[in-house]
Amino acid sequence: NAGVTQTPKFQVLKTGQSMTLQCAQDMNHEYMSWYRQDPGMGLRLIHYSVGAGITDQGEVPNGYNVSRSTTEDFPLRLLSAAPSQTSVYFCASSYDRGNTIYFGEGSWLTVV
Amino acid sequence: GIQVEQSPPDLILQEGANSTLRCNFSDSVNNLQWFHQNPWGQLINLFYIPSGTKQNGRLSATTVATERYSLLYISSSQTTDSGVYFCAVALETSGSRLTFGEGTQLTVNP
């Protein structure tokens, strides 16, 4: 099993550009989520999904969209990048709500 | 929302020393996990421990849900234990929507 795979690992964007961070898991997990981590801070939840076709907002959803068309994939879209979205983004998955969460290796995004 | 406080914020140890990290939370939870973020940024799940005690090698964790705290014990620390340790919790009503503490930065010197 590859676990949780995120791409790209590093990305530089100009203000106003859009992009998609990809996340895929091969563990047949129902729960998937996206977090961002800013310097010196813990992780904050952006969006999450409890299964294919079902998504909901987390703590900091503004400026981001998600969709969940399959169990395996949960892409995060930045609609119009802003410098405040410079951060490290982590995708995570778990079998269900009461189980261990597994993280991808992170995507470092810089918006200039 | 739920508040998660971790202490101490920073900890410096000599190799071989023992340490205790604490996580306090402000509401009833049904999901509590400890993570280690290594110096390369990778997040590794250490324990899923909403209550009770677990051990894994030199690490162990105890959660007292009724008193709203959890402890992570590291014994005989090694330089590879360095990094940031995060506690994350989820309310009984919020499924797996984890709220993270700000972490404890651990440095183990040789």
Side-chain angles (χ1 to χ4, degrees):
Chain A
N1 288 350
V4 181
T5 303
Q6 292 182 230
T7 57
K9 193 168 183 65
F10 300 98
Q11 183 73 48
V12 178
L13 284 179
K14 293 183 178 180
T15 297
Q17 286 184 318
S18 62
M19 78 158 296
T20 299
L21 298 176
Q22 301 291 345
C23 177
Q25 51 88 13
D26 61 358
M27 298 175 282
N28 200 32
H29 285 173
E30 290 296 324
Y31 280 63
M32 296 186 73
S33 49
W34 277 101
Y35 292 84
R36 62 176 286 173
Q37 184 179 28
D38 299 309
M41 295 180 66
L43 281 72
R44 292 183 293 169
L45 181 64
I46 304 171
H47 284 286
Y48 68 102
S49 169
V50 300
I54 306 169
T55 63
D56 206 347
Q57 297 181 350
E59 181 184 356
V60 288
N62 292 341
Y64 307 95
N65 272 354
V66 292
S67 60
R68 184 96 179 269
S69 57
T70 67
T71 298
E72 294 77 20
D73 300 298
F74 191 44
L76 178 72
R77 282 181 285 276
L78 280 70
L79 308 173
S80 177
S84 61
Q85 293 178 305
T86 294
S87 191
V88 184
Y89 291 84
F90 288 95
C91 180
S93 74
S94 64
Y95 182 70
D96 61 23
R97 63 171 61 193
N99 258 282
T100 299
I101 286 182
Y102 298 92
F103 281 91
E105 295 193 343
S107 296
W108 274 253
L109 176 65
T110 301
V111 183
V112 298
Chain B
I2 190 168
Q3 305 298 311
V4 182
E5 295 183 356
Q6 292 187 241
S7 59
D10 297 280
L11 186 59
I12 300 175
L13 301 174
Q14 288 298 122
E15 203 167 23
N18 302 327
S19 61
T20 301
L21 282 58
R22 187 177 180 101
C23 172
N24 291 335
F25 43 95
S26 61
D27 209 333
S28 297
V29 301
N30 69 346
N31 188 337
L32 188 148
Q33 305 194 29
W34 283 96
F35 297 90
H36 175 221
Q37 187 168 40
N38 64 25
W40 297 270
Q42 189 179 14
L43 279 160
I44 303 298
N45 192 293
L46 299 175
F47 294 103
Y48 169 77
I49 186 166
S51 63
T53 297
K54 289 187 177 179
Q55 181 158 7
N56 185 3
R58 295 181 296 103
L59 274 61
S60 64
T62 296
T63 297
V64 184
T66 53
E67 297 187 21
R68 300 182 182 172
Y69 73 89
S70 183
L71 302 174
L72 178 69
Y73 305 97
I74 305 174
S75 65
S76 304
S77 58
Q78 301 175 358
T79 56
T80 52
D81 294 331
S82 295
V84 183
Y85 289 80
F86 289 105
C87 168
V89 303
L91 292 173
E92 292 177 351
T93 56
S94 69
S96 62
R97 297 178 57 180
L98 290 177
T99 298
F100 280 73
E102 294 193 351
T104 292
Q105 173 77 56
L106 176 64
T107 303
V108 181
N109 292 321

